[in-house]
Amino acid sequence: MSDTCSPLRLSLIIPTYRRRESLLRCLQGLAAGARRPDETLVVVHEQDPEAGDLEQALRELAAPLHLRLVWAERAGQIFQMNAGIAEATGDILCFTDDDCVPRPDWLAQLAAAYDDPRIGGVGGRDIVHHGEVLSEGPGAVVGRITWYGRVVGNHHLIFPPGRREVDHLKGANMSFRRESTPPLDPLMVLGPGTGSQNDTELSLAVRARGYRLAYEPLAQVDHYPAQRHGVTHRNLDHPQQVYLDAHNWAYLMFKHYGWSRRLPFLAYAALVGCGNRLGLAKFLVRAVRAPGPAGRQWTTTLRGLHSGLRTYYRAGRPGSQRRNAH
């Protein structure tokens, strides 16, 4: 299938680690697409035991996808994404995960939104497969961050056709203008393989530069969640994941927002909580059924929040760094 002509060059960045078969399915889906990438950067690390065989395995897909391997100096999703960003030459940097299979018109749908020069980032729906079961349903709100720091994703839900402005995109299905995309912040990394909320970091950084973000529900990838390696976990209640998520949540809210939003965030995080990060109210609700696990998750959340604030101030960031206050 031939590529559709576009004035924009699209670079696709795929960090991968120990998922050779999933990666091959992802790339085969791309090769069947109506709009192929102008370059595909598969970012690997020498610690990956499958890395040595990848070049041979990907040989047949190299030409149609303009594919090349990029070697990251450090293992971990954030470092691999940064290596891809540094090597990319396209006008638009597109990202997906190695356990996703893009739909045939995925890249064409993303590229179409960049006709608007105010748009700095575009993402779409990831259709999440759990075996034969789809995680889906009708959606009302997508990609929002409230004024007090609650992050509402819902990128996997079903929305009617029509592009809409959002606050953040999802890492499995996102793209940004090259000139609007900074490197990811390495202070978000707490251990090998970690990359929690890297999509929120990029989304907030792009909006801080005055661009808008758009969600295009017709830009779709099928997501088959594979095993994670390092300290990240599919089980969001795992203590390591709770700590990492709380750390990066606090760090990013302080990094990108001024005090008018930091204080409400602190109150919300401590008294209510979000997702797997328990505030007092969420702890009390869960403690009725399981006081031990709820108590451990609550205290882990508090330690993670404290650590995120400490990381922010140890970095020497100004106390009034006010971004994205709108």
Side-chain angles (χ1 to χ4, degrees), residues 148 249 266-274 277-283:
Y148 50 86
W249 188 32
L266 288 175
Y268 173 68
L271 299 178
V272 181
C274 179
R277 290 141 279 170
L278 301 188
L280 178 61
K282 285 182 174 288
F283 158 68

Side-chain angles (χ1 to χ4, degrees), residues 117-121 165 180 203-213 323-324 326:
R118 299 171 298 176
I119 298 295
E165 187 172 354
S180 73
S203 298
L204 290 175
V206 170
R207 291 183 68 235
R209 297 185 175 195
Y211 288 97
R212 296 178 178 177
L213 302 179
R323 304 182 185 179
N324 276 326
H326 58 283

Side-chain angles (χ1 to χ4, degrees), residues 21-172:
E21 296 305 317
S22 295
L23 175 64
L24 285 172
R25 286 195 297 270
C26 174
L27 296 173
Q28 289 163 357
L30 282 165
R35 172 64 161 99
R36 294 172 182 157
D38 295 287
E39 67 174 353
T40 303
L41 305 177
V42 175
V43 190
V44 297
H45 187 268
E46 62 184 9
Q47 293 179 359
D48 186 342
E50 301 175 356
D53 299 328
L54 274 181
E55 191 167 6
Q56 178 63 34
L58 303 180
R59 190 177 300 277
E60 292 184 3
L61 294 167
L65 295 178
H66 310 285
L67 185 151
R68 59 192 173 96
L69 293 183
V70 174
W71 293 86
E73 293 183 358
R74 295 181 62 180
Q77 189 177 44
I78 281 180
F79 298 115
Q80 289 178 251
M81 291 174 71
N82 280 347
I85 291 171
E87 288 287 327
T89 62
D91 304 297
I92 306 297
L93 308 184
C94 306
F95 297 87
T96 192
D97 291 343
D98 57 5
D99 56 0
C100 292
V101 179
R103 295 286 175 97
D105 62 344
W106 175 58
L107 286 176
Q109 292 286 353
L110 293 180
Y114 288 102
D115 289 343
D116 184 343
R118 299 171 298 176
I119 298 295
V122 185
R125 181 183 174 210
D126 68 318
I127 303 168
V128 182
H129 298 251
H130 296 287
E132 300 297 321
V133 178
L134 296 181
S135 178
E136 63 178 5
V141 179
V142 61
R144 289 298 179 192
I145 302 177
T146 67
W147 61 273
Y148 50 86
R150 181 189 176 203
V151 179
V152 181
N154 294 338
H155 299 82
H156 64 291
L157 297 181
I158 300 172
F159 292 88
R163 202 174 297 153
R164 64 206 71 199
E165 187 172 354
V166 294
D167 299 324
H168 75 95
L169 306 173
K170 186 167 183 178

